[in-house]
Amino acid sequence: MKEKAIESTPSDPGARPWQSYNTVYTNAKAGMEGVDKEKVQRVVYEMSKGSKYFENEARKEAEMRQKIERMRAQCEKLSAAELAHFQMLADNRVVELEATRDLTKIWLHVDMDAFYAAVETLSDPSLKGKPMAVGSMSMISTANYEARQFGVRAAMPGFIARKLCPELIFVPTDFKKYTNYSDMIRKVFQKYDPNFLAASLDEAYLDITEVCKERNIPSDEIAKELRTTVFEETGLTCSAGVAPNRLLAKVCSDINKPNGQFVLPNDRMAVITFISSLPIRKIGGIGKVTENILRDVFGIKTCEDMLQKCGYLCALFSRSSADFFLSVGLGLGKTETPEVRMRKSISNERTFSATGDEALLYQKLAELSELLASDMKKEGLHGRTLTLKLKTAAFEVRTRAITLERYTCSSDDILKFASKLLKAELPASLRLIGLRISHFKEDKLGAPADPMQKTLRHFIKEGSSLRSDTNDRCFADDMETDFSIESHEINHRELGDESDRTDALDTNEKDCPRSKVCRDAMEITTVSSRCRGVDKANSPSAGRIDLIDHQLEESNSLEPDPSLPCMFEVGSSVEKTERGHSMFHNEEPPSSHQEGQFFWLNDYKCSLCGIELPSSFVEERQEHSDFHLAEKLQREESSIEPKSLTAMQREDPSCLGVFDLYYLWCNFCLHPSTPSEGGFRTVFRVALRDQTASRPKSKKRKASPKEGGHLPIHVFFGKMNQNF
DNA sequence: ATACATACC
DNA sequence: TACTGGTATGTAT
């Protein structure tokens, strides 16, 4: 009796189960061309099979299949009339979208090659040439190109990666390091487009239209030059894509990765040709699920297919989704630089080994609340909507949200409501808890909501270029606080000690380019005012405001360094006292520091001598700022809490309130590394000089006349990272 | 306004 | 042993 051997073929659904287990990291990435994909998939499958994670992935996959089936059915039950209707709608929309095509801009997308891994290789050159991954056994952030040859990829758990590549070297992530390098490359980007858009630590979009025009250099040479400069500055390679819009530029930067570039000319036919054969998955915003849906429901594989099926797309998707798909089909994308990019939420989450221990869970929640509140304070954010995120031991994600009566940034509030939300979900075995705050406070006009809060405008002379006439409505005339405005020219001497002042600056100029910057800043007209409306000596509002009005655009000499957001003055501005602390509170400043000289802190490191702040300094300052904030809030009760900058304040810093400034000083200056995300658009710099505090017993400095409980603030206008 | 899903790095 | 963390946005209710 002859029986046919049961032979598995690729069409047998159960024969090669690994083929159907696709995750983000089984997808191809730059540098994975020669990889045995079949083998990688098999290993990934074998390592994952049977786990909770795997089961959840299977569940998600099934849901996706269901969705696809639903949409298929929807397609089929479309009548001929309906189809004709949507087809017409779609055709019209395509014409409308085509009319928006803008080929006048040249966008460049820069993407560092294996950024984290490359940085780590710089710090430890022995890693060069060896397969290496940044991350842990749980998760890999980045793999270098050697590791990618084994199928090891970002977003792959380390233990699977090790299976694929037993000799793989793991390096733990060190965000501080990457942020440092990120600041360096952004400094380069800024030269080509001061308003460039940072997409992440290692990616940015630059509008190079102007540079190309001004220097009369083709875009490919600009790209080449930029990449060379980045390499010279950092030793890191990057790839670039040039195209008429950001969507295409992003696609282009991936084409000749690593260490390459691709230019798509500003020509409609070139764009159409380019896009037509492009697989939709290459487009940013189209991920695994969308790819599957578009392929399995509509048979769409390339961007060209989007236009082919535009009638169906308009029939089955929302307006915004359909528009996006049609735009992709036309090769359209954003070409303008957004005015301001405001953060919309802030969150944190932690994964831990799954537990149902409620005390433990509440403890984690408390930790997250503290963390979140502190992050919010750093950015001056106040939000109304709190979202609790949970991941069960089975990897199911749940979110529970509540919108509060009033805005808050207090960890007590957060914990209180987060606990309520959590309580309703217990008992549960959880492996992750997260908290998010959104719905931030911002009144549309960007004015301080506190009528008692003086804005910088109050301290600016009539006719000053910073004064904008449009907004006097913000400030009632009947304010109790009275500011006597005294205006005077200010020179070096007034800001520092009498002795050796000029010499100090001159001697140090070569070694410390910063000192030049500061000297220029000091040669500017100052307006100072005195507030006597608030009695408390310590109150931030009882300060004398010294406003140094300065037009950055007209003076390149004050070009601020975005990676050095915080400025202090040796010997006077930063001292260890009740309300101020010095880097050098237990010792004399190093000899490289001159009395009255300004220096800059970057990641708590001094720009002059590189000395690092003692951690006690950081902690003390944190407490200090919290103390004052709490005190202020308590005192002000009803009204106004400090906040992040509004669009208007960015535009016109004279809208800034005194409390806002104080807040910025407390919470921003103390966290100089905070603003490294995002571009460089914001318009000013703040430093506070506390003359009321008692002087340390420094031999170099005699106690200077006290200012009778006033708290002077120096404000330097200049460009700065937009995210603070 | 809330819940959940998708996407990106 | 072990499958992240932070932000934005779309979709559905």
Side-chain angles (χ1 to χ4, degrees):
Chain A
M1 193 149 129
K2 294 194 175 164
E3 237 183 82
K4 238 183 165 175
I6 297 166
E7 210 177 11
S8 46
T9 69
S11 57
D12 269 343
R16 298 205 162 104
W18 58 86
Q19 287 178 337
S20 58
Y21 182 62
N22 287 296
T23 70
V24 265
Y25 48 84
T26 47
N27 218 288
K29 215 185 171 215
M32 304 188 60
E33 288 72 27
V35 181
D36 181 353
K37 218 190 151 195
E38 182 89 3
K39 186 197 158 197
V40 172
Q41 279 221 288
R42 208 166 55 236
V43 172
V44 169
Y45 172 80
E46 291 298 333
M47 295 297 290
S48 299
K49 182 178 58 175
S51 68
K52 292 266 172 48
Y53 177 84
F54 181 93
E55 297 302 330
N56 190 251
E57 287 300 299
R59 182 185 61 79
K60 278 168 31 186
E61 169 91 10
E63 267 173 20
M64 185 180 78
R65 292 289 149 214
Q66 270 180 27
K67 188 169 177 184
I68 288 172
E69 279 316 309
R70 263 204 318 279
M71 293 182 77
R72 266 189 175 148
Q74 244 178 306
C75 271
E76 275 169 31
K77 77 167 198 263
L78 281 173
S79 70
E82 282 171 320
L83 257 180
H85 165 76
F86 284 115
Q87 187 60 53
M88 198 175 71
L89 210 132
D91 290 342
N92 288 336
R93 199 69 193 119
V94 166
V95 173
E96 283 169 24
L97 290 170
E98 175 63 45
T100 69
R101 188 187 297 274
D102 175 8
L103 289 169
T104 64
K105 294 276 170 56
I106 306 173
W107 278 96
L108 183 151
H109 180 252
V110 214
D111 191 342
M112 303 303 294
D113 302 324
F115 184 53
Y116 297 174
V119 169
E120 293 299 345
T121 306
L122 281 184
S123 343
D124 180 3
S126 74
L127 294 167
K128 212 177 289 179
K130 299 175 188 160
M132 178 266 271
V134 176
S136 67
M137 273 317 178
S138 302
M139 187 50 61
I140 286 173
S141 296
T142 313
N144 67 6
Y145 280 80
E146 288 80 358
R148 292 185 197 189
Q149 289 304 304
F150 294 85
V152 173
R153 244 210 64 164
M156 179 182 277
F159 66 93
I160 295 182
R162 195 179 52 183
K163 195 81 170 183
L164 286 168
C165 174
E167 64 266 51
L168 183 67
I169 300 168
F170 285 88
V171 177
T173 49
D174 180 354
F175 262 93
K176 209 163 167 183
K177 215 186 275 178
Y178 316 140
T179 305
N180 267 333
Y181 277 92
S182 183
D183 289 340
M184 292 162 71
I185 63 175
R186 286 175 185 189
K187 231 171 278 176
V188 177
F189 300 163
Q190 210 178 7
K191 294 195 184 115
Y192 292 85
D193 176 5
N195 299 320
F196 76 90
L197 304 169
S200 64
L201 284 184
D202 80 313
E203 254 181 67
Y205 295 90
L206 286 68
D207 180 353
I208 56 168
T209 318
E210 287 308 310
V211 198
C212 291
K213 207 181 293 170
E214 273 167 27
R215 297 175 51 188
N216 194 25
I217 296 180
S219 55
D220 63 317
E221 282 180 37
I222 294 286
K224 188 90 199 71
E225 181 189 299
L226 179 143
R227 294 200 298 119
T228 307
T229 312
V230 166
F231 183 77
E232 284 167 356
E233 295 286 322
T234 63
L236 300 169
T237 66
C238 61
S239 303
V242 177
N245 63 54
R246 294 205 290 273
L247 181 130
L248 292 173
K250 167 104 170 119
V251 176
C252 290
S253 69
D254 203 49
I255 291 179
N256 286 320
K257 189 159 251 306
N259 201 10
Q261 61 184 59
F262 181 88
V263 178
L264 180 59
N266 287 39
D267 172 87
R268 185 172 175 276
M269 271 321 289
V271 169
I272 301 285
T273 309
F274 176 79
I275 206 86
S276 63
S277 59
L278 192 70
I280 54 172
R281 185 60 195 271
K282 295 279 180 194
I283 302 291
I286 299 187
K288 185 187 121 167
V289 173
T290 312
E291 178 191 31
N292 274 289
I293 290 175
L294 291 179
R295 188 191 55 233
D296 295 349
V297 178
F298 309 95
I300 294 173
K301 293 194 189 68
T302 68
C303 297
E304 191 179 40
D305 299 337
M306 295 271 204
L307 292 184
Q308 214 70 53
K309 307 283 181 178
C310 62
Y312 282 99
L313 291 174
C314 286
L316 286 196
F317 289 99
S318 70
R319 166 74 178 248
S320 67
S321 298
D323 270 5
F324 171 65
F325 292 143
L326 297 191
S327 299
V328 167
L330 290 164
L332 300 174
K334 297 261 169 61
T335 56
E336 82 303 335
T337 300
E339 292 288 317
V340 275
R341 283 193 306 166
M342 283 276 280
R343 170 202 277 295
K344 298 187 179 58
S345 73
I346 185 165
S347 65
N348 55 17
E349 63 187 49
R350 289 288 172 269
T351 296
F352 40 84
S353 48
T355 177
D357 181 335
E358 306 202 350
L360 203 58
L361 292 172
Y362 280 115
Q363 191 204 320
K364 307 253 182 216
L365 200 63
E367 287 164 14
L368 289 171
S369 302
E370 287 289 342
L371 235 159
L372 188 57
S374 122
D375 286 350
M376 290 179 73
K377 281 168 189 166
K378 279 178 207 167
E379 300 202 33
L381 297 171
H382 292 246
R384 276 185 72 201
T385 303
L386 173 68
T387 306
L388 172 73
K389 175 177 169 179
L390 306 174
K391 197 187 283 179
T392 66
F395 283 86
E396 281 175 337
V397 175
R398 271 185 245 163
T399 59
R400 296 290 177 264
I402 183 172
T403 299
L404 310 178
E405 284 297 320
R406 48 181 235 96
Y407 295 91
T408 189
C409 67
S410 103
S411 62
D412 290 346
D413 279 349
I414 295 174
L415 180 57
K416 187 169 95 189
F417 292 103
S419 298
K420 272 185 194 172
L421 293 174
L422 177 60
K423 190 178 178 189
E425 302 302 311
L426 297 177
S429 177
L430 303 176
R431 76 186 325 274
L432 172 145
I433 296 183
L435 289 175
R436 176 165 72 250
I437 298 267
S438 51
H439 195 152
F440 294 132
K441 177 159 76 178
E442 179 193 22
D443 61 81
K444 278 124 221 150
L445 295 169
D450 180 3
M452 288 301 293
Q453 187 178 172
K454 296 297 179 186
T455 68
L456 292 189
R457 174 160 310 146
H458 287 90
F459 306 97
I460 299 173
K461 263 189 292 191
E462 199 66 39
S464 155
S465 57
L466 270 167
R467 182 168 181 103
S468 106
D469 338 310
T470 52
N471 289 300
D472 284 347
R473 39 139 202 80
C474 306
F475 317 108
D477 290 334
D478 59 338
M479 265 177 297
E480 290 175 317
T481 317
D482 179 36
F483 291 82
S484 61
I485 310 258
E486 46 181 87
S487 153
H488 59 280
E489 291 291 313
I490 136 174
N491 58 32
H492 304 169
R493 216 147 290 161
E494 283 190 57
L495 275 178
D497 252 14
E498 294 84 336
S499 56
D500 299 1
R501 176 79 186 159
T502 317
D503 287 335
L505 286 168
D506 286 344
T507 4
N508 276 301
E509 187 151 330
K510 295 193 283 291
D511 310 309
C512 317
R514 268 320 134 202
S515 64
K516 177 171 187 326
V517 165
C518 298
R519 187 174 60 174
D520 290 344
M522 285 183 280
E523 285 170 347
I524 297 159
T525 308
T526 294
V527 181
S528 67
S529 304
R530 184 162 304 195
C531 160
R532 56 174 169 79
V534 187
D535 48 3
K536 225 166 182 180
N538 285 357
S539 153
S541 61
R544 200 189 80 179
I545 304 270
D546 286 335
L547 174 63
I548 298 179
D549 171 7
H550 182 269
Q551 270 65 66
L552 175 68
E553 320 310 329
E554 291 163 23
S555 167
N556 292 330
S557 56
L558 196 68
E559 186 65 37
D561 183 341
S563 65
L564 302 174
C566 180
M567 188 168 80
F568 290 96
E569 187 184 359
V570 173
S572 61
S573 66
V574 198
E575 292 163 353
K576 182 173 172 58
T577 63
E578 190 191 342
R579 288 196 306 284
H581 296 73
S582 170
M583 275 181 78
F584 311 112
H585 53 270
N586 289 326
E587 57 199 13
E588 286 293 302
S591 57
S592 59
H593 293 66
Q594 302 294 325
E595 192 75 17
Q597 182 179 39
F598 286 91
F599 63 95
W600 302 70
L601 299 180
N602 183 16
D603 289 338
Y604 302 109
K605 204 184 253 180
C606 177
S607 65
L608 295 185
C609 61
I611 194 172
E612 288 195 17
L613 292 185
S615 58
S616 62
F617 175 90
V618 177
E619 288 155 19
E620 285 167 16
R621 290 299 279 259
Q622 181 62 59
E623 281 170 25
H624 159 66
S625 70
D626 285 344
F627 168 75
H628 268 283
L629 188 60
E631 181 194 61
K632 189 188 94 52
L633 292 179
Q634 198 175 12
R635 193 167 45 77
E636 295 301 307
E637 264 186 330
S638 60
S639 51
I640 296 332
E641 298 155 354
K643 55 182 184 170
S644 63
L645 296 190
T646 63
M648 180 171 289
Q649 288 168 341
R650 287 172 206 278
E651 262 332 287
D652 175 10
S654 64
C655 285
L656 270 170
V658 176
F659 293 159
D660 294 328
L661 274 179
Y662 179 75
Y663 183 83
L664 285 169
W665 177 74
C666 285
N667 290 287
F668 175 74
C669 291
L670 295 178
H671 302 280
S673 62
T674 305
S676 52
E677 290 282 0
F680 302 98
R681 311 188 123 225
T682 322
V683 229
F684 64 94
R685 232 170 246 281
V686 185
L688 185 144
R689 198 156 64 112
D690 188 348
Q691 296 180 333
T692 69
S694 61
R695 304 289 170 199
K697 283 115 202 104
S698 159
K699 289 129 249 171
K700 278 202 137 190
R701 176 177 259 288
K702 289 175 282 205
S704 43
K706 296 203 174 182
E707 291 286 335
H710 297 303
L711 196 62
I713 298 174
H714 288 274
V715 182
F716 296 85
F717 291 86
K719 288 204 177 176
M720 199 175 221
N721 190 303
Q722 73 181 59
N723 270 6
F724 92 93

